[in-house]
Coordinates of all heavy atoms in Angstrom, one line a residue:
L12 N 0.3 11.4 2.2 CA 0.6 12.5 3.1 C -0.6 13.3 3.4 O -1.6 13.3 2.6 CB 1.6 13.4 2.3 CG 2.9 12.8 1.9 CD1 3.7 13.9 1.1 CD2 3.7 12.3 3.1
A13 N -0.6 14.0 4.5 CA -1.7 14.9 4.9 C -1.2 16.2 5.4 O -0.4 16.3 6.3 CB -2.6 14.2 5.9
L14 N -1.6 17.3 4.7 CA -1.3 18.7 5.2 C -2.5 19.0 6.2 O -3.6 18.9 5.9 CB -1.3 19.7 4.1 CG 0.0 19.6 3.2 CD1 -0.3 20.3 1.9 CD2 1.2 20.2 3.9
S15 N -2.1 19.5 7.4 CA -3.1 19.8 8.4 C -2.6 21.0 9.2 O -1.5 21.4 9.1 CB -3.3 18.6 9.3 OG -2.1 18.4 10.2
P16 N -3.5 21.6 10.0 CA -3.1 22.7 10.9 C -2.0 22.3 11.8 O -1.3 23.2 12.3 CB -4.4 23.1 11.6 CG -5.5 22.6 10.7 CD -5.0 21.4 10.1
D17 N -1.8 21.0 12.1 CA -0.8 20.5 13.0 C 0.5 20.2 12.2 O 1.5 19.7 12.8 CB -1.3 19.2 13.7 CG -0.4 18.8 14.8 OD1 0.2 19.7 15.5 OD2 -0.2 17.6 15.0
G18 N 0.5 20.4 10.9 CA 1.8 20.1 10.2 C 1.6 19.1 9.1 O 0.4 18.7 8.7
L19 N 2.7 18.5 8.6 CA 2.7 17.5 7.6 C 2.9 16.1 8.2 O 3.8 15.9 9.0 CB 3.8 17.8 6.6 CG 4.0 16.8 5.4 CD1 2.8 16.8 4.5 CD2 5.2 17.1 4.6
H20 N 2.1 15.1 7.8 CA 2.1 13.8 8.4 C 2.2 12.8 7.2 O 1.6 13.0 6.2 CB 0.9 13.5 9.3 CG 0.8 14.4 10.5 ND1 1.6 14.2 11.6 CD2 0.1 15.5 10.7 CE1 1.3 15.1 12.5 NE2 0.4 15.9 12.0
V21 N 2.8 11.7 7.5 CA 2.9 10.5 6.6 C 2.1 9.4 7.1 O 2.3 9.0 8.3 CB 4.4 10.1 6.3 CG1 4.4 8.9 5.3 CG2 5.2 11.3 5.7
F22 N 1.2 8.8 6.3 CA 0.5 7.6 6.7 C 1.0 6.5 5.8 O 0.8 6.5 4.6 CB -1.0 7.8 6.5 CG -1.6 8.9 7.5 CD1 -1.5 10.2 7.1 CD2 -2.2 8.5 8.7 CE1 -2.0 11.2 7.9 CE2 -2.7 9.5 9.5 CZ -2.6 10.8 9.1
R23 N 1.5 5.4 6.5 CA 1.9 4.2 5.7 C 1.5 3.0 6.4 O 1.3 3.0 7.7 CB 3.4 4.3 5.5 CG 4.3 4.4 6.7 CD 5.7 4.0 6.4 NE 6.3 5.0 5.5 CZ 7.0 6.0 5.9 NH1 7.3 6.2 7.2 NH2 7.5 6.9 5.0
F24 N 1.4 1.9 5.7 CA 0.9 0.6 6.2 C 2.1 0.0 7.0 O 3.2 -0.1 6.5 CB 0.4 -0.3 5.2 CG -0.1 -1.6 5.7 CD1 -1.4 -1.7 6.3 CD2 0.6 -2.8 5.6 CE1 -1.9 -2.9 6.7 CE2 0.2 -4.0 6.1 CZ -1.1 -4.0 6.6
S25 N 1.8 -0.5 8.2 CA 2.8 -1.2 9.0 C 2.4 -2.7 9.1 O 1.3 -3.1 9.6 CB 2.8 -0.6 10.4 OG 3.6 -1.5 11.3
R26 N 3.2 -3.6 8.6 CA 2.9 -5.0 8.7 C 2.9 -5.5 10.1 O 2.2 -6.4 10.5 CB 4.0 -5.8 7.9 CG 3.9 -5.6 6.4 CD 4.9 -6.5 5.7 NE 4.9 -6.3 4.2 CZ 5.6 -7.0 3.4 NH1 6.6 -7.8 3.9 NH2 5.5 -6.8 2.1
K27 N 3.8 -4.9 10.9 CA 3.9 -5.3 12.3 C 2.6 -5.0 13.1 O 2.1 -5.8 13.9 CB 5.1 -4.5 13.0 CG 5.3 -4.9 14.4 CD 6.5 -4.2 15.0 CE 6.7 -4.6 16.5 NZ 7.9 -3.9 17.0
R28 N 2.0 -3.8 12.8 CA 0.8 -3.4 13.5 C -0.4 -3.7 12.7 O -1.6 -3.5 13.1 CB 0.8 -1.9 13.8 CG 2.0 -1.4 14.7 CD 1.8 0.0 15.0 NE 2.9 0.5 15.9 CZ 3.1 1.7 16.4 NH1 2.1 2.6 16.1 NH2 4.1 2.0 17.1
Q29 N -0.2 -4.2 11.4 CA -1.4 -4.5 10.5 C -2.4 -3.4 10.4 O -3.6 -3.5 10.5 CB -2.1 -5.8 11.0 CG -1.3 -7.0 10.8 CD -1.0 -7.3 9.3 OE1 -1.9 -7.4 8.6 NE2 0.3 -7.4 9.0
G30 N -1.8 -2.2 10.2 CA -2.7 -1.0 10.0 C -1.8 0.2 9.7 O -0.6 0.1 9.5
L31 N -2.5 1.3 9.5 CA -1.8 2.6 9.2 C -1.1 3.2 10.4 O -1.7 3.2 11.5 CB -2.7 3.6 8.6 CG -3.3 3.3 7.2 CD1 -4.3 4.3 6.8 CD2 -2.2 3.2 6.1
V32 N 0.1 3.7 10.2 CA 0.8 4.4 11.3 C 1.1 5.8 10.7 O 1.3 6.0 9.5 CB 2.1 3.7 11.7 CG1 1.8 2.3 12.3 CG2 3.0 3.5 10.5
R33 N 1.1 6.7 11.7 CA 1.4 8.1 11.3 C 2.7 8.6 11.9 O 3.0 8.3 13.0 CB 0.2 9.0 11.8 CG 0.3 10.5 11.4 CD -0.8 11.3 12.0 NE -0.5 11.6 13.4 CZ -1.2 12.5 14.1 NH1 -2.1 13.2 13.5 NH2 -0.9 12.7 15.4
C34 N 3.4 9.3 11.1 CA 4.7 9.9 11.5 C 4.9 11.2 10.8 O 4.3 11.5 9.8 CB 5.8 8.9 11.3 SG 6.1 8.5 9.6
R35 N 5.9 12.0 11.2 CA 6.3 13.2 10.5 C 7.5 12.9 9.6 O 8.4 12.2 10.0 CB 6.6 14.3 11.5 CG 5.5 14.8 12.3 CD 5.9 16.0 13.2 NE 4.8 16.5 14.0 CZ 3.9 17.4 13.6 NH1 3.9 17.8 12.4 NH2 3.0 17.8 14.5
P36 N 7.5 13.5 8.4 CA 8.7 13.3 7.6 C 9.9 13.9 8.2 O 9.8 14.9 8.9 CB 8.3 14.1 6.3 CG 6.8 14.2 6.3 CD 6.4 14.3 7.8
K37 N 11.0 13.3 8.0 CA 12.3 13.9 8.5 C 12.8 15.0 7.6 O 12.6 14.9 6.4 CB 13.3 12.7 8.6 CG 12.9 11.7 9.6 CD 14.0 10.6 9.6 CE 13.6 9.5 10.7 NZ 14.6 8.4 10.7
R38 N 13.5 15.9 8.2 CA 13.9 17.1 7.4 C 14.9 16.7 6.2 O 14.8 17.2 5.1 CB 14.6 18.1 8.3 CG 13.7 18.8 9.2 CD 14.4 19.9 10.0 NE 13.5 20.6 10.8 CZ 13.8 21.7 11.5 NH1 15.0 22.2 11.5 NH2 12.9 22.3 12.3
R39 N 15.7 15.7 6.5 CA 16.7 15.3 5.5 C 16.1 14.5 4.4 O 16.7 14.4 3.3 CB 17.9 14.5 6.2 CG 18.7 15.4 7.1 CD 19.9 14.5 7.6 NE 20.7 15.3 8.5 CZ 21.8 14.8 9.1 NH1 22.1 13.6 8.9 NH2 22.5 15.6 9.9
T40 N 15.0 13.8 4.6 CA 14.4 12.9 3.6 C 13.0 13.4 3.1 O 12.3 12.6 2.5 CB 14.3 11.5 4.2 OG1 13.4 11.5 5.3 CG2 15.6 10.9 4.6
V41 N 12.7 14.6 3.4 CA 11.3 15.1 3.1 C 11.1 15.1 1.5 O 10.0 14.9 1.1 CB 11.1 16.5 3.6 CG1 12.0 17.5 3.0 CG2 9.6 16.9 3.5
L42 N 12.2 15.3 0.8 CA 12.0 15.3 -0.7 C 11.6 13.9 -1.3 O 11.1 13.9 -2.4 CB 13.3 15.7 -1.4 CG 13.8 17.2 -1.0 CD1 15.0 17.5 -1.8 CD2 12.7 18.2 -1.3
T43 N 11.8 12.9 -0.5 CA 11.4 11.5 -1.0 C 9.9 11.4 -1.0 O 9.4 10.4 -1.6 CB 12.0 10.4 -0.2 OG1 11.5 10.5 1.2 CG2 13.6 10.5 -0.1
H44 N 9.2 12.3 -0.4 CA 7.7 12.2 -0.4 C 7.0 13.1 -1.4 O 5.8 13.2 -1.4 CB 7.2 12.6 1.0 CG 7.9 11.9 2.1 ND1 7.5 10.6 2.4 CD2 8.8 12.2 3.1 CE1 8.2 10.1 3.4 NE2 9.0 11.1 3.9
L45 N 7.8 13.8 -2.2 CA 7.2 14.8 -3.2 C 6.2 14.1 -4.1 O 5.2 14.8 -4.5 CB 8.3 15.5 -4.0 CG 9.1 16.6 -3.2 CD1 10.2 17.2 -4.1 CD2 8.1 17.7 -2.7
R46 N 6.5 12.9 -4.5 CA 5.6 12.2 -5.5 C 4.5 11.4 -4.8 O 3.7 10.7 -5.5 CB 6.4 11.3 -6.4 CG 7.4 12.1 -7.3 CD 8.2 11.2 -8.2 NE 7.4 10.5 -9.1 CZ 7.8 9.6 -10.0 NH1 9.1 9.3 -10.0 NH2 7.0 9.0 -10.8
S47 N 4.4 11.5 -3.5 CA 3.4 10.7 -2.8 C 2.0 11.4 -2.9 O 2.0 12.7 -3.0 CB 3.8 10.5 -1.3 OG 5.0 9.8 -1.2
Q48 N 0.9 10.7 -2.8 CA -0.4 11.2 -2.8 C -0.6 12.1 -1.6 O -0.1 11.8 -0.5 CB -1.4 10.1 -2.7 CG -2.9 10.6 -2.7 CD -3.9 9.5 -2.5 OE1 -3.6 8.4 -2.9 NE2 -5.1 9.8 -2.0
C49 N -1.2 13.3 -1.8 CA -1.3 14.3 -0.7 C -2.8 14.7 -0.6 O -3.5 14.9 -1.5 CB -0.5 15.5 -1.1 SG -0.5 16.8 0.2
E50 N -3.2 14.7 0.7 CA -4.5 15.2 1.1 C -4.4 16.4 1.9 O -3.3 16.7 2.5 CB -5.3 14.1 1.9 CG -5.4 12.8 1.1 CD -6.4 12.8 0.0 OE1 -7.2 13.8 -0.1 OE2 -6.4 11.9 -0.9
I51 N -5.5 17.2 2.0 CA -5.5 18.4 2.8 C -6.6 18.2 3.8 O -7.8 18.1 3.4 CB -5.7 19.7 2.0 CG1 -4.5 19.9 1.1 CG2 -5.8 20.9 2.9 CD1 -4.5 21.1 0.2
V52 N -6.3 18.3 5.1 CA -7.3 18.1 6.2 C -8.2 19.3 6.2 O -7.8 20.5 6.0 CB -6.6 17.9 7.5 CG1 -7.6 17.9 8.7 CG2 -5.7 16.7 7.5
E53 N -9.5 19.1 6.4 CA -10.5 20.1 6.4 C -10.1 21.2 7.5 O -9.7 20.9 8.6 CB -11.8 19.6 6.8 CG -13.0 20.5 6.8 CD -13.4 20.9 5.4 OE1 -13.1 20.1 4.5 OE2 -14.0 21.9 5.2
G54 N -10.1 22.5 7.0 CA -9.8 23.6 7.9 C -8.3 24.0 7.8 O -8.0 25.0 8.5
T55 N -7.5 23.3 7.0 CA -6.1 23.8 6.8 C -6.1 25.0 6.0 O -6.7 25.1 4.9 CB -5.3 22.6 6.1 OG1 -5.4 21.5 6.9 CG2 -3.9 23.0 6.0
T56 N -5.4 26.1 6.5 CA -5.4 27.3 5.8 C -4.1 27.5 5.0 O -3.1 26.7 5.2 CB -5.5 28.5 6.8 OG1 -4.3 28.5 7.7 CG2 -6.7 28.4 7.6
L57 N -4.0 28.5 4.2 CA -2.8 28.8 3.5 C -1.6 29.1 4.4 O -0.5 28.7 4.2 CB -3.0 30.0 2.5 CG -1.8 30.4 1.6 CD1 -1.5 29.3 0.7 CD2 -2.1 31.7 0.9
R58 N -1.9 29.8 5.5 CA -0.9 30.1 6.5 C -0.3 28.8 7.1 O 0.9 28.6 7.3 CB -1.5 30.9 7.7 CG -0.4 31.4 8.7 CD -1.1 31.9 9.9 NE -2.2 32.9 9.7 CZ -2.0 34.2 9.4 NH1 -0.7 34.7 9.5 NH2 -3.0 35.0 9.2
D59 N -1.2 27.8 7.3 CA -0.7 26.5 7.9 C 0.2 25.8 6.9 O 1.3 25.2 7.3 CB -1.9 25.5 8.1 CG -2.9 26.0 9.2 OD1 -2.4 26.7 10.1 OD2 -4.1 25.8 9.1
I60 N -0.1 25.9 5.6 CA 0.8 25.3 4.6 C 2.1 26.1 4.5 O 3.2 25.4 4.4 CB 0.1 25.3 3.2 CG1 -1.1 24.4 3.3 CG2 1.1 24.8 2.1 CD1 -1.9 24.3 2.0
F61 N 2.1 27.4 4.6 CA 3.4 28.1 4.6 C 4.2 27.7 5.8 O 5.4 27.6 5.7 CB 3.0 29.6 4.7 CG 2.6 30.3 3.4 CD1 2.2 31.6 3.4 CD2 2.6 29.5 2.3 CE1 1.8 32.2 2.2 CE2 2.2 30.1 1.1 CZ 1.8 31.4 1.0
E62 N 3.6 27.5 7.0 CA 4.3 27.1 8.2 C 5.0 25.7 8.0 O 6.1 25.4 8.5 CB 3.4 27.1 9.4 CG 3.0 28.5 9.8 CD 2.0 28.5 11.0 OE1 1.6 27.4 11.4 OE2 1.7 29.6 11.5
V63 N 4.2 24.8 7.3 CA 4.8 23.5 7.0 C 6.1 23.6 6.2 O 7.1 23.0 6.5 CB 3.8 22.6 6.3 CG1 4.5 21.4 5.7 CG2 2.7 22.2 7.2
V64 N 6.0 24.5 5.1 CA 7.2 24.6 4.2 C 8.3 25.3 5.0 O 9.5 24.9 4.8 CB 6.8 25.5 3.0 CG1 8.0 25.8 2.2 CG2 5.7 24.8 2.2
D65 N 8.0 26.2 5.9 CA 9.0 26.8 6.7 C 9.8 25.8 7.6 O 10.9 26.0 8.0 CB 8.4 27.9 7.6 CG 8.4 29.3 6.9 OD1 9.2 29.5 6.0 OD2 7.4 30.0 7.2
R66 N 9.1 24.7 8.0 CA 9.7 23.7 8.9 C 10.7 22.9 8.2 O 11.5 22.2 8.8 CB 8.6 22.9 9.5 CG 7.7 23.6 10.5 CD 6.6 22.6 10.9 NE 5.6 23.4 11.7 CZ 4.4 22.8 12.1 NH1 4.1 21.6 11.8 NH2 3.6 23.5 12.8
Y67 N 10.7 22.9 6.8 CA 11.6 22.0 6.1 C 12.4 22.9 5.1 O 12.0 23.2 4.0 CB 10.8 21.0 5.3 CG 10.0 20.0 6.1 CD1 8.7 20.3 6.5 CD2 10.6 18.9 6.6 CE1 8.0 19.4 7.3 CE2 10.0 18.0 7.4 CZ 8.6 18.2 7.7 OH 8.0 17.3 8.6
P68 N 13.5 23.4 5.6 CA 14.4 24.3 4.7 C 14.7 23.7 3.4 O 14.7 24.5 2.4 CB 15.6 24.5 5.6 CG 15.1 24.3 7.0 CD 14.1 23.2 6.9
L69 N 15.0 22.4 3.3 CA 15.4 21.8 2.0 C 14.2 21.8 1.1 O 14.3 22.2 -0.1 CB 15.8 20.4 2.3 CG 16.3 19.6 1.0 CD1 17.4 20.3 0.3 CD2 16.7 18.2 1.4
L70 N 13.0 21.5 1.6 CA 11.8 21.6 0.8 C 11.5 23.0 0.3 O 11.1 23.2 -0.8 CB 10.6 21.1 1.6 CG 9.2 21.1 1.0 CD1 9.2 20.3 -0.3 CD2 8.1 20.7 1.9
K71 N 11.8 24.0 1.2 CA 11.5 25.4 0.8 C 12.4 25.8 -0.4 O 12.0 26.4 -1.3 CB 11.8 26.3 2.0 CG 11.5 27.8 1.7 CD 12.0 28.7 2.8 CE 11.3 28.5 4.1 NZ 11.7 29.5 5.1
R72 N 13.7 25.4 -0.3 CA 14.6 25.8 -1.4 C 14.2 25.1 -2.7 O 14.3 25.7 -3.7 CB 16.1 25.4 -1.0 CG 16.6 26.2 0.2 CD 18.1 26.1 0.2 NE 18.6 24.7 0.5 CZ 18.7 24.2 1.7 NH1 18.5 25.0 2.8 NH2 19.1 23.0 1.9
V73 N 13.8 23.9 -2.6 CA 13.5 23.1 -3.8 C 12.2 23.7 -4.5 O 12.2 24.0 -5.7 CB 13.3 21.6 -3.5 CG1 12.7 20.9 -4.7 CG2 14.6 21.0 -3.2
I74 N 11.2 24.0 -3.7 CA 9.9 24.5 -4.3 C 10.1 25.9 -4.7 O 9.4 26.3 -5.7 CB 8.8 24.4 -3.2 CG1 7.4 24.4 -4.0 CG2 8.8 25.4 -2.2 CD1 7.2 23.2 -4.9
A75 N 11.0 26.7 -4.1 CA 11.2 28.0 -4.6 C 11.8 28.0 -6.0 O 11.5 28.9 -6.8 CB 12.1 28.8 -3.6
A76 N 12.7 27.1 -6.2 CA 13.4 26.9 -7.5 C 12.4 26.3 -8.5 O 12.3 26.8 -9.7 CB 14.6 26.1 -7.4
Y77 N 11.7 25.2 -8.1 CA 10.9 24.5 -9.0 C 9.7 25.4 -9.5 O 9.3 25.3 -10.7 CB 10.3 23.2 -8.3 CG 9.5 22.4 -9.2 CD1 10.0 21.4 -10.1 CD2 8.1 22.5 -9.1 CE1 9.2 20.6 -10.9 CE2 7.3 21.6 -9.9 CZ 7.9 20.7 -10.8 OH 7.1 19.9 -11.6
S78 N 9.1 26.1 -8.6 CA 7.9 27.0 -8.9 C 8.3 28.4 -9.3 O 7.4 29.2 -9.4 CB 6.9 26.9 -7.8 OG 6.6 25.6 -7.5
W79 N 9.6 28.7 -9.5 CA 10.0 30.0 -9.8 C 9.6 31.1 -8.8 O 9.2 32.2 -9.1 CB 9.5 30.4 -11.2 CG 10.1 29.6 -12.3 CD1 9.9 28.3 -12.5 CD2 11.0 30.0 -13.4 NE1 10.6 27.8 -13.6 CE2 11.2 28.9 -14.2 CE3 11.5 31.3 -13.7 CZ2 12.0 29.0 -15.3 CZ3 12.3 31.3 -14.8 CH2 12.6 30.2 -15.6
C80 N 9.5 30.7 -7.6 CA 9.1 31.6 -6.5 C 10.3 32.1 -5.7 O 10.6 31.6 -4.6 CB 8.1 30.9 -5.6 SG 7.3 32.0 -4.3
R81 N 11.1 33.0 -6.3 CA 12.3 33.4 -5.7 C 12.1 34.2 -4.4 O 13.0 34.2 -3.6 CB 13.1 34.3 -6.7 CG 13.4 33.6 -8.1 CD 14.2 34.5 -9.0 NE 14.4 33.9 -10.3 CZ 13.7 34.0 -11.3 NH1 12.6 34.7 -11.2 NH2 14.0 33.4 -12.5
E82 N 10.9 34.8 -4.3 CA 10.7 35.7 -3.1 C 9.8 34.9 -2.1 O 9.0 35.5 -1.4 CB 9.9 37.0 -3.6 CG 10.7 37.8 -4.6 CD 10.5 37.3 -6.0 OE1 9.7 36.3 -6.2 OE2 11.0 37.9 -6.9
I83 N 10.1 33.6 -1.9 CA 9.2 32.8 -1.1 C 9.3 33.3 0.4 O 8.2 33.3 1.1 CB 9.7 31.3 -1.1 CG1 8.7 30.4 -0.4 CG2 11.1 31.2 -0.6 CD1 8.9 28.9 -0.6
E84 N 10.4 33.8 0.8 CA 10.5 34.4 2.2 C 9.6 35.6 2.3 O 9.0 35.8 3.4 CB 11.9 34.7 2.6 CG 12.9 33.5 2.6 CD 12.7 32.7 3.9 OE1 11.8 33.0 4.7 OE2 13.4 31.7 4.0

Side-chain angles (χ1 to χ4, degrees):
L12 301 177
L14 286 163
S15 71
D17 189 36
L19 180 64
H20 298 279
V21 180
F22 295 85
R23 58 167 62 99
F24 182 78
S25 171
R26 292 184 179 179
K27 183 177 180 180
R28 299 186 181 181
Q29 288 298 302
L31 291 176
V32 295
R33 186 183 74 166
C34 62
R35 291 186 183 274
K37 296 180 180 179
R38 291 188 176 184
R39 293 183 179 180
T40 60
V41 66
L42 297 185
T43 63
H44 305 288
L45 284 175
R46 296 179 64 182
S47 298
Q48 178 184 338
C49 183
E50 303 289 343
I51 297 181
V52 176
E53 186 74 22
T55 302
T56 65
L57 183 63
R58 188 195 309 277
D59 295 328
I60 296 177
F61 282 176
E62 290 176 353
V63 166
V64 175
D65 274 330
R66 293 175 188 172
Y67 296 93
L69 181 58
L70 176 61
K71 183 192 293 187
R72 291 197 297 270
V73 168
I74 201 64
Y77 182 83
S78 302
W79 295 64
C80 186
R81 303 181 182 93
E82 301 83 1
I83 190 169
E84 296 284 1

